């Protein structure tokens, strides 16, 4: 995109700088007196603006607890919650983390050759242009497939499958709350899960962006996470052994704007003094690249007889017995692959990538 598009058109030349005069209108002493009088009239509580706190320095809050009986009300205001009542054992999470940590000790040649290169899967780097440092990352399917039979990630695979099962349950409950049919259904070709394992480096890291419906992260230890929600950067501290559940951009479109969302993956907050390696393991419930994304609007079927019974005495409107939308669309439909490619490579932080699809 050209710079003229980024800043709203070509800019005009700045006005000429006034020439300096030796015969000033006010003497330096008069100017000082005027400035002193101005400062005396300012409110006593006025202070200079301070730098906004980074996610790593912000106070952490405990996420609300997620209820599978009413997913929509739990996450509609924030876009994230913690699930404390689940069946994923802590021993499995710890074993999966040990296997994942060993991946970062592989040589660069092994990292490049042992993992499938089928975007978005494979080995790569999570780069943040606003921060120093590059974080290694591995992105697997739910089977944690590799290019070598010698690299068997048994615990990580089982862990990913358990999180996937839980995430699909949440998606099912969410669509029920919306009064819509689950677009994933029982067809495995309609869903795609990504297990994203990456380093957490000191500083404010976005963690990499990829569209998703539901994101899940197991809280193995007492660890703060920073995440980018619709209300801005927030710092959260889930309970140990809980699962941090984030709702992504696809969930927001499906809900026709009823849900708040989290952009990108929550990243562990790491200080410079922390010498130990810290990683995040995120399971993203997402879509196949050939999918199309659109709001899931509840529909009603109404034939002539039903309408006469329900609206007795009123003039019958023209109705062909088909489906009628009960609410107006907030988002237009779009191709998932085009959107995913743009979000992943442009790493948009300051502008919501869904804005271009909103109905104006």
């Amino acid at each position: 995109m050209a710079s003229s598009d980024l800043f709203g058109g070509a800019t005009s030349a700045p006005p000429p700088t006034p020439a300096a005069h030796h015969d000033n209108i006010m003497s330096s002493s008069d100017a000082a007196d005027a400035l002193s009088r101005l400062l005396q009239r300012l409110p006593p509580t006025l202070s200079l603006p301070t730098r906004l706190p980074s996610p790593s320095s912000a106070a952490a809050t405990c996420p609300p607890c997620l209820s599978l009986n009413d997913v929509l009300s739990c996450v509609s205001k924030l876009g994230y919650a913690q699930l404390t009542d689940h069946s994923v054992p802590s021993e499995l999470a710890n074993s999966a983390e040990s296997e994942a940590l060993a991946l970062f000790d592989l040589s660069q040649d092994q990292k490049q050759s042992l993992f499938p290169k089928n975007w978005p899967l494979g080995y790569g780097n999570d780069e943040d242009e606003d921060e120093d440092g590059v974080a290694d990352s591995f992105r697997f399917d739910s089977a944690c497939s590799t290019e070598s039979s010698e690299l068997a990630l048994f615990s990580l695979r089982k862990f990913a499958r358990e999180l996937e099962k839980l995430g699909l349950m949440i998606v099912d409950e969410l669509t029920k709350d919306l009064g819509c049919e689950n677009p994933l259904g029982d067809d495995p070709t309609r869903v795609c899960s990504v297990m994203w394992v990456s380093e957490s480096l000191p500083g404010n890291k976005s963690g990499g962006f990829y569209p998703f419906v539901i994101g899940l992260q197991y809280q193995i230890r007492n660890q703060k996470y920073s995440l980018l929600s619709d209300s801005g950067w927030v710092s959260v501290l889930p309970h140990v052994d809980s699962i941090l559940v984030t709702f992504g951009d696809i969930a927001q479109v499906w809900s026709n704007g009823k849900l708040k969302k989290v952009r990108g993956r929550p990243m562990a907050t790491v200080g410079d003094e922390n010498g130990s390696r810290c990683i995040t393991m995120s399971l993203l419930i997402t879509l196949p690249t050939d999918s199309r994304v659109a709001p899931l609007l509840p529909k009603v079927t109404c034939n002539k007889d039903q309408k006469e019974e329900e609206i007795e005495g009123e003039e019958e409107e023209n109705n062909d017995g088909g489906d009628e939308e009960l609410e107006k669309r907030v988002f237009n439909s779009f191709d998932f692959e085009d959107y995913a490619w743009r979000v992943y490579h442009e790493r948009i932080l300051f502008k919501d990538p869904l804005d271009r699809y909103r109905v104006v």
Side-chain angles (χ1 to χ4, degrees):
M1 180 180 294
S3 59
S4 60
D5 292 330
L6 286 173
F7 300 102
T11 57
S12 58
T17 304
H21 296 283
H22 294 288
D23 50 342
N24 292 329
I25 297 177
M26 291 194 302
S27 68
S28 59
S29 119
D30 292 337
D33 291 341
L35 178 60
S36 176
R37 289 193 296 272
L38 175 62
L39 292 175
Q40 289 176 1
R41 289 199 298 267
L42 293 176
T45 57
L46 182 67
S47 60
L48 293 175
T50 58
R51 183 181 178 183
L52 293 176
S54 66
S56 59
S57 62
T61 60
C62 186
C65 289
L66 177 65
S67 168
L68 289 180
N69 295 325
D70 195 357
V71 175
L72 187 60
S73 65
C74 291
V75 298
S76 58
K77 295 182 179 179
L78 296 175
Y80 59 90
Q82 61 176 333
L83 185 63
T84 56
D85 183 16
H86 59 81
S87 59
V88 182
S90 59
E91 296 82 3
L92 177 60
N94 280 278
S95 297
E97 185 186 53
S98 297
E99 286 186 350
L101 279 167
L103 298 176
F104 295 92
D105 294 328
L106 296 173
S107 68
Q108 193 67 22
D109 289 340
Q110 288 175 313
K111 291 176 182 178
Q112 295 287 353
S113 62
L114 293 178
F115 302 98
K117 297 176 178 62
N118 181 22
W119 183 83
L121 305 180
Y123 164 75
N125 304 118
D126 296 335
E127 299 184 33
D128 194 329
E129 295 179 358
D130 297 329
E131 300 291 338
D132 296 329
V134 177
D136 278 353
S137 69
F138 302 88
R139 297 175 298 277
F140 303 97
D141 56 18
S142 59
C144 295
S145 306
T146 66
E147 298 295 328
S148 172
S149 58
E150 298 179 0
L151 189 61
L153 305 173
F154 295 114
S155 295
L156 190 61
R157 179 185 302 113
K158 186 175 181 181
F159 181 62
R161 288 284 173 80
E162 288 294 321
L163 291 179
E164 181 184 55
K165 186 188 306 180
L166 183 59
L168 292 176
M169 288 175 54
I170 297 175
V171 171
D172 192 54
E173 293 299 325
L174 173 62
T175 52
K176 287 179 182 178
D177 290 348
L178 293 171
C180 304
E181 182 180 353
N182 185 350
L184 305 181
D186 298 324
D187 187 351
T189 64
R190 295 183 181 180
V191 65
C192 176
S193 296
V194 177
M195 171 55 79
W196 198 323
V197 181
S198 63
E199 285 183 293
S200 294
L201 299 179
N204 173 17
K205 306 299 294 183
S206 65
F209 292 83
Y210 192 77
F212 64 96
V213 184
I214 302 289
L216 303 101
Q217 288 185 200
Y218 194 102
Q219 184 77 345
I220 296 178
R221 59 186 59 85
N222 194 37
Q223 176 72 61
K224 289 197 301 183
Y225 286 92
S226 63
L227 52 87
L228 181 57
S229 69
D230 277 340
S231 58
W233 284 105
V234 294
S235 183
V236 297
L237 180 60
H239 294 303
V240 173
D241 293 332
S242 70
I243 294 176
L244 178 61
V245 181
T246 53
F247 288 74
D249 37 9
I250 305 304
Q252 186 174 65
V253 174
W254 279 1
S255 71
N256 201 35
K258 298 181 182 68
L259 283 176
K260 298 293 184 181
K261 68 176 179 300
V262 169
R263 291 158 59 188
R265 297 170 299 113
M267 291 299 291
T269 302
V270 182
D272 294 320
E273 72 285 351
N274 192 336
S276 60
R277 173 174 282 159
C278 181
I279 64 171
T280 58
M281 300 183 295
S282 307
L283 191 284
L284 304 181
I285 303 293
T286 183
L287 303 177
T289 54
D290 60 353
S291 302
R292 190 156 184 85
V293 184
L296 305 179
L297 300 179
K299 296 178 181 293
V300 60
T301 301
C302 183
N303 59 36
K304 180 178 179 180
D305 294 336
Q306 289 172 327
K307 201 171 187 73
E308 289 177 345
E309 292 176 2
E310 295 172 1
I311 316 178
E312 185 176 356
E314 294 184 8
E315 182 180 356
E316 181 179 352
E317 298 179 359
N318 183 25
N319 187 284
D320 59 2
D323 291 339
E324 295 180 342
E325 291 184 353
L326 293 179
E327 59 183 275
K328 293 183 179 179
R329 288 174 177 261
V330 174
F331 294 100
N332 293 309
S333 61
F334 55 87
D335 290 328
F336 179 83
E337 184 174 13
D338 292 341
Y339 175 72
W341 183 266
R342 186 171 62 88
V343 170
Y344 181 86
H345 288 89
E346 293 183 9
R347 301 181 183 275
I348 303 171
L349 276 174
F350 303 106
K351 183 178 180 181
D352 189 344
L354 285 179
D355 283 347
R356 65 165 57 187
Y357 305 108
R358 293 183 185 273
V359 177
V360 294

